[in-house]
Amino acid sequence: MDLTKPQPLPVFIENPDGSLVQGVVAGYEDCSPPTTPRTQVFQPGLSLGADVIKVLARHEMLFLFLLALQLLVECIFETMHVQYREDAIFELELIYPGVDPRVLGSLYWSAIFAECAYLGAFLFLGVIAAFRGKPRLYQRFSIVALVGTLGQLPLAYLNRFNLLTFFLRFISYAYGRFQWNLLYGIGLLTQEILM
């Protein structure tokens, strides 16, 4: 290419329909595009950076803190339910006068045992998901958290609905879904199967 001669520039023509067309002289060459400002090009399959691992660790710690808070709150409320069970069963007798008090008492105790069993499974799945860091475990945890959240609603008939427990379970569900999507997205970026 001769640098002393001025280079021909492209001509842009507007068609009657409004579209633009570029016209160039024979032998015209476009300038090469500038290089990328990135220091290195992304290559799938590379290991995760330290900042990504730090963010994941922080989210796992927040998730474990949420589980510990839920354990504390639910233990306190279950202790209160057991401690004031006679008053609660008496109130149920006033609400449902046609039901035998022994049936109400057994329903109340069944609800206590069901809540304790659910809490054990909920916390077990949550801790396992946090320590293993697999998206499928977070998915299972979020399903169990959603079932527990919706399971709080029928407890209103036994005078056991707790808005704080409902809220914490829903937040656990949302955070479990967030962790699941985060790990799944990172797995797609790094081409690793994290399932």
Side-chain angles (χ1 to χ4, degrees), residues 84-95:
Y84 298 108
R85 68 187 175 278
E86 287 96 13
D87 295 335
I89 293 172
F90 177 73
E91 287 177 6
L92 287 174
E93 290 174 13
L94 294 176
I95 295 171

Side-chain angles (χ1 to χ4, degrees), residues 74-90 108-109 112 160:
E74 293 215 21
C75 284
I76 289 172
F77 279 116
E78 286 304 318
T79 303
M80 287 176 54
H81 283 301
V82 170
Q83 187 175 2
Y84 298 108
R85 68 187 175 278
E86 287 96 13
D87 295 335
I89 293 172
F90 177 73
Y108 195 80
W109 278 105
I112 289 174
R160 287 183 45 92

Side-chain angles (χ1 to χ4, degrees), residues 32-46:
S32 62
T35 60
T36 180
R38 296 181 183 170
T39 56
Q40 64 185 21
V41 180
F42 175 73
Q43 296 174 351
L46 289 179

Side-chain angles (χ1 to χ4, degrees), residues 3 9 22-23 32 35 45-46 82 97-98 111 113 148 161 176 184 188:
L3 295 176
L9 296 175
Q22 178 183 2
S32 62
T35 60
L46 289 179
V82 170
F113 290 131
F161 178 77
Y184 186 74
L188 287 177

